[in-house]
Amino acid sequence: MSHILVTGGAGFIGANFVLDWLAQPRADGIVNVDKLTYAGNLKTLASLENDKRHVFSRTDICDRAALDRLLAEYRPSAVVHFAAESHVDRSIHGPGEFVQTNIVGTFTLLESVRAYWAALKREVQAGFRFLHISTDEVFGSLGADDPRFSETTAYAPNSPYSASKAASDHLVRAYHHTYGLPVLTTNCCCA
Ligand SMILES: NC(=O)c1ccc[n+]([C@@H]2O[C@H](COP(=O)([O-])OP(=O)(O)OC[C@H]3O[C@@H](n4cnc5c(N)ncnc54)[C@H](O)[C@@H]3O)[C@@H](O)[C@H]2O)c1
């Protein structure tokens, strides 16, 4: 069976992505890589308990060896990267975990994926994608009369959370420009 690899697939947005994806009748399987912090909840995925298309691995994205093993075993055609420390207030009280997961974790994942992707056959390489889920908060705050953010808005992160996500966005961009890794970044907003 073909697979995609999803990080943070037991979290709020990631779990809904996993359920939506597997609701498609001919969907590829998912390797769901999640550390199960306070924010992860496998109960959201209870309906997939007997679904062989869903492989769950309790793994930290900072664990390079574990990521290498999963990529080698499942040979995913894409990586969808949701895993993050994501709550602004928690980042004010304890920024260290945000730097670790959002920056070091994204870096570790990029390194693992780069090595995997570089060894793929050329035609498989061309179709591969690394989708990085980021946030509109990297652009700062909007006043009531300000124009909307766009792809050309300057980065202006205001919290340790948004600064760590901004750093991860820059790493993802750099891996495209430096190594050619096919990446996409979405700076979505959850209103
Ligand atoms: N929720 C929002 O309002 C919002 C808005 C815009 C962007 N985003 C982004 O979307 C993504 C998902 O957000 P969410 O609200 O679902 O987050 P969430 O906090 O609900 O879930 C994050 C998931 O990542 C996992 N995780 C945390 N650290 C990990 C690590 N080191 N290794 C592996 N897994 C780890 C957690 O266990 C959890 O399941 C994040 O990258 C976030 O920055 C969220």
Side-chain angles (χ1 to χ4, degrees), residues 71-129:
L71 290 168
E73 181 173 358
Y74 293 100
R75 320 286 305 159
S77 58
V79 170
V80 185
H81 177 35
F82 292 99
E85 287 292 336
S86 71
H87 287 228
V88 176
D89 290 354
R90 287 175 60 90
S91 82
I92 294 164
H93 297 297
E97 274 178 276
F98 287 71
V99 169
Q100 184 62 21
T101 286
N102 299 357
I103 305 178
V104 178
T106 299
F107 163 70
T108 307
L109 180 65
L110 282 166
E111 277 291 273
S112 182
V113 171
R114 176 167 79 90
Y116 164 73
W117 174 79
L120 293 174
K121 289 196 180 122
R122 197 173 282 264
E123 61 274 19
V124 186
Q125 258 186 1
F128 184 88
R129 292 292 181 276

Side-chain angles (χ1 to χ4, degrees), residues 8 10-14 33-41 59-62 81-87 101 133-136 161 165 188-190:
F12 169 48
I13 302 178
V33 174
D34 196 299
K35 183 181 173 184
L36 291 182
T37 65
Y38 77 94
N41 182 4
T59 296
D60 188 330
I61 56 164
C62 299
H81 177 35
F82 292 99
E85 287 292 336
S86 71
H87 287 228
T101 286
I133 313 301
S134 190
T135 169
D136 62 328
Y161 164 63
K165 291 295 289 189
C188 54
C189 152
C190 216

